[in-house]
């Protein structure tokens, strides 16, 4: 019995006069391409199995690589619209481009499939004659799946014949190029470089594709969701100048968030706030601009709350609760507070890019209270926002450090407000520049601005804290011991990073203490003002300016240490600085030189300060990532905690993020994350990160649960073997040692257990943390 594919090949040979299969003409075989109507009403008869059966499988096997800006070939399979849009040969992360690229944001920069075709996206589904043969033979997705089933992974531990580098050349074949692709890369079917689908999974997707790949619209809103949308749209669209300015401020901080109204996982649903030219109650008229503060081109902007249409992926997921308590806080801070707004600010870039100018009428205390209320969210915007991937943007921070904040009550002063008003020009950000920027001359100007600001700031602080007066731990916000955003840990994973609550991992080398102006500028530099489609100069300028902000946060921390050790400590963080950084550090700026009133009794004041800060956080300090949360024996907790003590040269052979599954003696599974943090002489060098490394100071951290969106290795261990595992891990001193560790405990990408492990991890994450959980990404999964 002949297969459909065999029959098609025979037909092609006859049709084309014995021409080779690789060159047959799809237009002659199946008609010319024509955009299909594939997305139907919610659970229509044509798409009855899509949401229940097909989409969950696509999420687990496809979306884990195809989501966000770094999706291969820009193929985002996390929504029906993304699958329908298809693929594009150009990369979004192209760090060398000299001119800014045109944005291609799904749901924003084009609204119909034909519009995506007009700007170069090619279909992965058949858009010719609709029948079972054409839908599989003239569809890239079907051909890629079939290619993998025909050529499954070779029986080898470390796969050969693949390029797994993050910046690899991408083929992105159109259907006309598919035969050549199959001939040149027979092992490159999908999922790329991972085990093939099971027969039942493959049959499900192929049957769906054969029938025309019909997809369903998202579910309609519940009555409760409709009521909440109406409530919040009313709040965001008040008519007074005070309400309009407040809404603009909130939007420019929330535009990337996934909003939700209830913590009940059974009714949990996520939404986004967008700008529209039409008010609530009318059809949405989306305003799409490069940045959230760009000129909307309409007389009145309306803010609309719309449901998220894509699957939730961890690397972009920033959940933000909108409940009655939040409503009351925002009303108190921004609506009923006693201040006046006499006119609305312009959208001209030189004003809109500087929040200290744009929102000068909003009380500083209100703005800062808002940012601190969800400080983790505020900080992680530059981790999970447009940066999404980018070593150039992220090598500006250390691999592991703690973050604290100045108490907002200390900003509730006329003198502080007056100081920020006076400094608004010096606090201008590179975001005011075009997305096509020449960085060097700009850096000089912003360096001078920052120097003037620090001169004024230190003069002001020297006056306020004369003779150490008020320079105590009371300056540091402790969340009133009930807000667990008061202390955060940041881990950098080379070209991605994580922001988590609590003081996690071994004691770090550095810490930041962030005040209002610094926190606001970080957001507008790296989130609101960062253009992922910008040119190399724009991204480089952003990176260079972030040096100033990092050092400002570090200097605030140093001010709490004894005066005599501040300079020495700072210099230890910046060994062998670059010439431009040396000039910046040696500039003629009035230093902050008041003594601290904190009493130190040990010969290690920095560690002592960390201990005092931990104590100050009190009951509000998050303990979520402690290994003691795992349902394991106490002896297992002790063994796992020993991982935090591992350090040294051997860690350079480990990846940045490893997921550890421990199968307990009771039979249940618990998941942990191992984070490898690299030590550096300094992090001010743009292009010589490896030259700045100090491998002997590398450290490991172990955290309960999932941290980081890009695991590079899966490990699985029986609880009874934990001590042996930790001992072997601590002795890794070479590549061979690490491979031996993998041989004992790893579930490699070549393993037939890979997808089962992935599915269990996904379900565990969702069960434990249903609000925060999202699909992980396997684009950085190692092949060792």
């Amino acid at each position: 019995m002949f297969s459909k594919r065999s029959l098609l090949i025979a037909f092609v040979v006859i049709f084309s006069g014995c021409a080779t299969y690789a060159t047959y003409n799809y237009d002659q075989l199946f008609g010319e391409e024509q955009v299909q109507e594939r997305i139907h009403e919610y659970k229509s008869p044509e798409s009855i199995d899509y949401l229940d059966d097909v989409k969950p499988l696509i999420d687990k096997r496809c979306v884990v690589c195809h989501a966000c800006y770094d999706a291969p070939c820009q193929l985002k399979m996390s929504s029906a619209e993304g699958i329908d849009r298809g693929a594009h040969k150009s990369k979004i992360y192209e760090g060398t481009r000299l001119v800014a690229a045109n944005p291609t944001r799904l749901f924003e920069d084009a609204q119909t499939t034909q519009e995506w075709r007009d700007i170069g996206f090619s279909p992965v589904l058949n858009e010719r004659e609709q029948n079972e043969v054409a839908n599989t033979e003239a569809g890239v997705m079907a051909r890629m799946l079939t290619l993998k089933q025909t050529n499954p992974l070779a029986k080898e531990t470390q796969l050969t014949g693949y390029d797994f580098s993050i910046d690899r050349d991408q083929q992105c074949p159109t259907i006309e190029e598919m035969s050549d692709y199959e001939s040149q890369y027979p092992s490159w079917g999908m999922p790329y470089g991972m085990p093939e689908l099971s027969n039942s999974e493959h049959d499900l997707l192929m049957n769906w594709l054969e029938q025309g790949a019909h997809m369903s619209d998202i579910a309609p809103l519940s009555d409760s969701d409709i009521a909440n949308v109406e409530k919040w749209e009313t709040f965001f669209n008040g008519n007074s100048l005070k309400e309009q300015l407040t809404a603009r401020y909130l939007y420019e901080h929330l535009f990337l968030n996934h909003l939700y109204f209830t913590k009940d996982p059974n009714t949990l649903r996520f939404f986004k706030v967008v700008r529209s030219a039409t008010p609530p109650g009318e059809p949405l008229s989306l305003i799409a601009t490069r940045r959230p503060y760009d000129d909307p081109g309409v007389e009145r902007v309306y803010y609309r709350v719309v449901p998220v249409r894509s699957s939730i992926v961890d690397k972009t997921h920033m959940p933000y609760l909108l409940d009655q308590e939040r409503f009351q806080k925002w009303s108190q801070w921004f609506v009923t507070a006693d201040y006046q707004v006499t006119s609305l600010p312009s959208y001209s870039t030189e004003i809109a890019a500087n929040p200290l100018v744009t929102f000068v009428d909003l009380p500083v205390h209100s703005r800062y209270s808002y940012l601190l209320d969800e400080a983790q969210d505020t900080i992680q915007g530059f981790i999970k926002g447009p940066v999404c991937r980018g070593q150039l943007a992220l090598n500006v921070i250390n691999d592991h450090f703690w973050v604290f904040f100045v108490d907002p009550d200390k900003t509730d002063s006329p003198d502080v407000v007056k100081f920020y008003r006076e400094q608004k020009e010096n606090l201008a950000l590179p975001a005011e520049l075009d997305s096509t920027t020449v960085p060097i001359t700009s850096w000089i100007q912003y360096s001078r601005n920052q120097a003037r600001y620090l001169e004024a700031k230190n003069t002001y602080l020297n006056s306020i804290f004369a003779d150490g007066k008020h320079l105590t731990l009371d300056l540091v916000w402790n969340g009133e011991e009930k807000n667990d955003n008061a202390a955060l840990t940041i881990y950098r994973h080379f070209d991605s990073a994580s922001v988590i609550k609590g003081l996690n991992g071994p004691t770090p080398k550095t810490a930041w203490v962030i005040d209002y102006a610094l926190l606001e500028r970080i957001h507008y530099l790296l989130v609101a003002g960062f253009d992922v489609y910008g040119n190399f100069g724009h991204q480089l300028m952003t990176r260079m300016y972030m040096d100033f902000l990092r050092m400002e946060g570090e200097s605030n921390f140093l001010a709490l240490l004894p005066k005599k050790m501040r300079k020495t400590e700072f210099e230890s963080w910046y060994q062998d600085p670059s010439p431009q950084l040396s000039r910046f550090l040696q500039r003629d700026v009035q230093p902050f030189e008041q003594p601290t009133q904190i009493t130190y009794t040990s010969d290690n004041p920095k560690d002592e300060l960390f201990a005092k800060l931990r104590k100050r956080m009190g009951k509000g300090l998050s303990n979520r990532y402690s290994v003691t949360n795992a349902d394991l024996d106490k002896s297992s907790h002790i063994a796992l905690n020993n991982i935090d003590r591992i350090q040294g040269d051997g860690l350079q052979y480990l990846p940045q993020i490893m997921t550890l599954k421990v199968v307990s003696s009771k039979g249940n599974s618990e998941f942990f994350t191992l984070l490898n943090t690299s030590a550096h002489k300094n992090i001010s060098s743009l292009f010589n990160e490896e030259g700045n490394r100090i491998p002997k100071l590398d450290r490991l951290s172990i955290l309960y649960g999932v941290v980081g969106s890009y695991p590079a290795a899966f490990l699985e261990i029986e609880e009874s073997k934990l001590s042996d595992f930790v001992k072997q891990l601590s002795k890794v001193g070479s590549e061979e040692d690490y491979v031996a560790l993998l041989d004992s405990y790893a579930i490699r990408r070549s393993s037939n257990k890979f997808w089962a492990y992935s599915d269990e991890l996904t379900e565990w994450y969702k069960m434990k943390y249903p609000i925060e959980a999202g699909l992980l990404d396997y684009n950085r999964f190692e092949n060792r």
Side-chain angles (χ1 to χ4, degrees):
M1 180 136 185
F2 291 105
S3 68
K4 295 174 184 176
R5 188 174 180 83
S6 300
L7 290 170
L8 178 64
I9 294 173
F11 172 64
V12 169
V13 171
I14 296 171
F15 185 91
S16 58
C18 297
T20 60
Y21 173 52
T23 60
Y24 65 76
N25 188 308
Y26 286 91
D27 288 350
Q28 289 179 301
L29 285 172
F30 303 122
E32 294 184 358
E33 283 189 317
Q34 183 176 357
V35 170
Q36 302 295 310
E37 294 295 330
R38 299 187 192 277
I39 304 176
H40 308 281
E41 291 184 2
Y42 178 64
K43 289 194 173 183
S44 68
E46 295 89 349
S47 60
I48 194 67
D49 64 344
Y50 173 71
L51 289 178
D52 293 334
D53 301 320
V54 175
K55 181 172 173 50
L57 179 56
I58 290 176
D59 283 349
K60 292 189 295 183
R61 300 293 180 264
C62 307
V63 176
V64 289
C65 284
H66 286 278
C68 190
Y69 291 120
D70 56 355
C73 305
Q74 295 193 49
L75 176 57
K76 294 182 66 174
M77 303 188 72
S78 50
S79 67
E81 291 84 355
I83 297 172
D84 203 44
R85 178 178 75 162
H88 200 289
K89 291 183 181 293
S90 69
K91 295 180 181 179
I92 292 178
Y93 289 105
E94 193 67 56
T96 59
R97 57 176 167 242
L98 300 179
V99 179
N102 291 323
T104 54
R105 296 163 297 183
L106 189 63
F107 302 114
E108 293 187 52
D109 299 309
Q111 299 301 319
T112 67
T113 308
Q114 186 58 56
E115 288 174 349
W116 290 120
R117 297 289 171 269
D118 292 342
I119 58 178
F121 279 80
S122 60
V124 296
L125 305 174
N126 172 41
E127 291 192 341
R128 292 180 166 83
E129 181 180 319
Q130 295 293 295
N131 59 57
E132 289 188 12
V133 173
N135 285 337
T136 53
E137 295 303 329
V140 170
M141 181 177 174
R143 294 277 284 272
M144 285 289 191
L145 292 170
T146 301
L147 182 63
K148 186 54 170 278
Q149 295 300 113
T150 307
N151 300 275
L153 290 183
K155 301 300 182 183
E156 52 188 4
T157 300
Q158 185 175 359
L159 299 175
T160 57
Y162 294 89
D163 182 359
F164 293 116
S165 60
I166 195 66
D167 292 316
R168 66 182 181 269
D169 290 335
Q170 297 177 3
Q171 302 304 314
C172 311
T174 63
I175 189 58
E176 291 80 10
E177 298 163 339
M178 223 14 244
S179 294
D180 284 340
Y181 180 90
E182 292 164 334
S183 175
Q184 294 181 52
Y185 312 106
S187 64
W188 287 15
M190 296 296 154
Y192 177 83
M194 287 177 175
E196 65 276 11
L197 306 185
S198 68
N199 289 335
S200 60
E201 291 170 340
H202 179 74
D203 290 345
L204 172 62
L205 290 184
M206 291 303 293
N207 289 336
W208 172 68
L209 291 165
E210 285 177 0
Q211 300 305 314
H214 295 287
M215 294 176 280
S216 175
D217 198 357
I218 59 175
L221 300 186
S222 67
D223 291 343
S224 175
D225 285 337
I226 291 172
N228 276 305
V229 167
E230 290 177 351
K231 170 184 176 178
W232 285 100
E233 285 191 338
T234 299
F235 177 84
F236 283 126
N237 293 287
N239 290 320
S240 71
L241 296 182
K242 183 186 287 189
E243 290 170 310
Q244 290 186 57
L245 185 60
T246 294
R248 176 173 170 177
Y249 180 79
L250 294 175
Y251 167 74
E252 291 181 13
H253 291 79
L254 290 170
F255 70 102
L256 292 176
N257 281 101
H258 290 158
L259 313 174
Y260 65 104
F261 306 128
T262 174
K263 296 179 182 179
D264 182 355
N266 297 313
T267 57
L268 182 65
R269 186 162 187 172
F270 294 104
F271 296 80
K272 289 179 68 68
V273 60
V274 299
R275 295 198 296 182
S276 174
T278 51
E282 295 184 15
L284 181 74
S285 178
L286 187 71
I287 297 171
T289 55
R290 277 185 179 267
R291 300 177 179 87
Y293 54 70
D294 284 343
D295 191 338
V298 295
E299 184 175 346
R300 170 77 189 268
V301 173
Y302 296 96
Y303 300 94
R304 307 288 295 276
V305 178
V306 299
V308 171
R309 304 186 65 84
S310 301
S311 304
I312 299 301
V313 296
D314 188 78
K315 59 187 173 180
T316 60
H317 186 42
M318 294 184 286
Y320 199 106
L321 176 63
L322 296 186
D323 60 0
Q324 185 59 31
E325 181 182 356
R326 187 87 65 196
F327 187 91
Q328 292 170 347
K329 284 181 178 179
W330 289 1
S331 297
Q332 176 186 343
W333 292 336
F334 295 109
V335 179
T336 62
D338 184 16
Y339 68 97
Q340 299 296 319
V341 177
T342 57
S343 63
L344 295 176
S346 163
Y347 281 101
S348 62
T349 306
E350 61 272 15
I351 291 176
N354 187 340
L356 300 184
V357 174
T358 310
F359 303 108
V360 67
D361 288 338
L362 297 180
V364 170
H365 185 263
S366 297
R367 285 179 268 164
Y368 192 32
S369 297
Y370 162 78
L371 295 174
L372 288 187
D373 198 35
E374 297 290 347
Q376 180 199 27
D377 180 82
T378 305
I379 296 290
Q380 77 176 358
F382 84 84
I383 304 299
K384 293 191 172 186
V387 174
C388 187
R389 171 166 77 87
Q391 186 235 349
L392 182 64
L394 289 175
N395 71 4
V396 72
I397 60 176
N398 280 289
D399 272 32
H400 176 223
F401 60 100
W402 291 343
V403 175
F404 306 93
F405 302 91
V406 173
D407 192 305
D409 289 340
K410 304 302 184 289
T411 67
D412 196 13
S413 153
D415 289 340
V416 173
V417 174
K418 178 175 179 290
F419 174 75
Y420 284 141
R421 285 178 181 266
E422 291 172 345
Q423 292 301 310
K424 61 185 180 183
E425 301 303 327
N426 288 332
L427 294 175
L429 295 166
E432 68 184 8
L433 302 175
D434 190 80
S435 293
T436 298
T437 298
V438 179
I440 301 302
T441 54
S442 300
W443 186 89
I444 294 172
Q445 179 58 51
Y446 286 106
S447 173
R448 290 170 178 164
N449 288 351
Q450 179 72 358
R452 284 194 291 266
Y453 168 66
L454 293 180
E455 176 82 27
K457 178 182 176 183
N458 286 342
T459 299
Y460 175 73
L461 293 180
N462 279 323
S463 172
I464 295 295
F465 299 114
D467 301 321
K469 183 176 58 176
H470 308 308
L471 190 51
T472 68
L473 283 179
D474 290 342
L475 283 170
V476 180
W477 182 55
N478 70 350
E480 298 178 359
E481 294 197 32
K482 60 183 179 181
N483 188 330
D484 60 5
N485 285 273
L488 305 175
T489 300
I490 296 184
Y491 284 100
R492 178 194 163 214
H493 325 298
F494 186 64
D495 62 356
S496 66
S498 303
V499 183
I500 59 176
K501 294 178 179 178
L503 301 177
N504 300 284
T507 303
K509 178 177 75 173
T510 64
W512 299 4
V513 174
I514 298 179
D515 59 19
Y516 165 69
L518 180 55
L519 189 56
E520 195 78 275
R521 283 182 294 154
I522 289 174
H523 177 81
Y524 274 81
L525 178 72
L526 294 177
V527 185
F530 185 81
D531 181 9
V532 71
Y533 297 92
N535 76 330
F536 174 74
H538 164 76
Q539 298 186 29
L540 179 60
M541 187 65 231
T542 300
R543 158 63 177 84
M544 294 169 74
Y545 190 87
M546 187 58 199
D547 267 331
F548 303 150
L549 303 189
R550 180 196 65 248
M551 288 187 289
E552 191 177 332
E554 291 170 339
S555 296
N556 290 342
F557 172 75
L558 289 173
L560 298 175
L561 290 171
K563 178 181 173 181
K564 64 181 180 180
M565 71 171 293
R566 293 171 189 164
K567 186 174 186 293
T568 303
E569 182 69 25
F570 187 78
E571 288 175 348
S572 73
W573 299 347
Y574 292 95
Q575 302 171 40
D576 303 329
S578 61
Q580 70 267 23
L581 181 62
S582 294
R583 287 193 294 271
F584 179 76
L585 295 176
Q586 294 167 9
R587 69 206 182 285
D588 184 22
V589 170
Q590 170 72 25
F592 177 74
E593 50 189 9
Q594 302 306 316
T596 178
Q597 291 297 299
I598 301 171
T599 302
Y600 293 96
T601 58
S602 74
D603 57 0
N604 190 340
K606 185 173 73 171
D607 281 1
E608 193 175 351
L609 175 57
F610 279 135
K612 291 176 182 293
L613 287 167
R614 184 185 292 273
K615 183 178 180 181
R616 174 155 175 76
M617 296 301 113
K619 295 179 294 183
L621 185 64
S622 173
N623 196 40
R624 168 178 159 173
Y625 298 96
S626 170
V627 298
T628 58
N629 291 325
D631 184 15
L632 300 173
D633 294 339
K634 185 176 181 179
S635 60
S636 298
H637 295 157
I638 294 172
L640 288 169
N641 273 323
N642 284 332
I643 292 175
D644 270 349
R645 298 186 177 93
I646 298 175
Q647 67 180 81
D649 296 57
L651 297 181
Q652 64 186 298
Y653 303 103
L654 274 61
Q656 302 296 126
I657 306 175
M658 294 174 283
T659 301
L660 172 64
K661 171 187 168 184
V662 177
V663 181
S664 80
S665 55
K666 307 168 190 174
N668 62 295
S669 296
E670 292 281 29
F671 285 91
F672 304 84
T673 303
L674 299 181
L675 298 178
N676 181 13
T677 57
S678 302
H680 299 83
K681 295 178 187 176
N682 71 72
I683 48 171
S684 62
S685 176
L686 293 171
F687 306 110
N688 187 33
E689 180 164 355
E690 283 306 307
N692 280 326
R693 292 274 288 104
I694 315 177
K696 67 180 181 180
L697 298 181
D698 291 354
R699 299 294 302 261
L700 267 187
S701 292
I702 181 165
L703 304 169
Y704 178 63
V706 176
V707 177
S709 304
Y710 300 93
F714 287 161
L715 305 174
E716 180 173 304
I717 301 169
E718 296 289 336
E719 185 177 6
S720 60
K721 297 180 181 179
L722 268 178
S723 294
D724 294 338
F725 164 73
V726 175
K727 184 181 297 183
Q728 186 174 354
L729 178 65
S730 67
K731 292 181 178 180
V732 171
S734 66
E735 177 71 15
E736 291 73 20
D737 289 342
Y738 175 61
V739 172
L741 183 80
L742 296 180
D743 291 339
S744 298
Y745 303 108
I747 304 296
R748 289 180 166 95
R749 67 186 304 144
S750 57
S751 171
N752 58 11
K753 298 179 181 179
F754 179 88
W755 289 122
Y757 187 109
S758 172
D759 291 345
E760 185 180 3
L761 171 60
T762 300
E763 289 305 312
W764 185 94
Y765 192 14
K766 186 175 181 180
M767 177 191 70
K768 287 280 187 176
Y769 307 105
I771 293 170
E772 298 172 32
L775 295 166
L776 300 177
D777 189 284
Y778 299 149
N779 275 299
R780 293 162 177 74
F781 205 91
E782 67 179 8
N783 178 39
R784 286 201 276 176

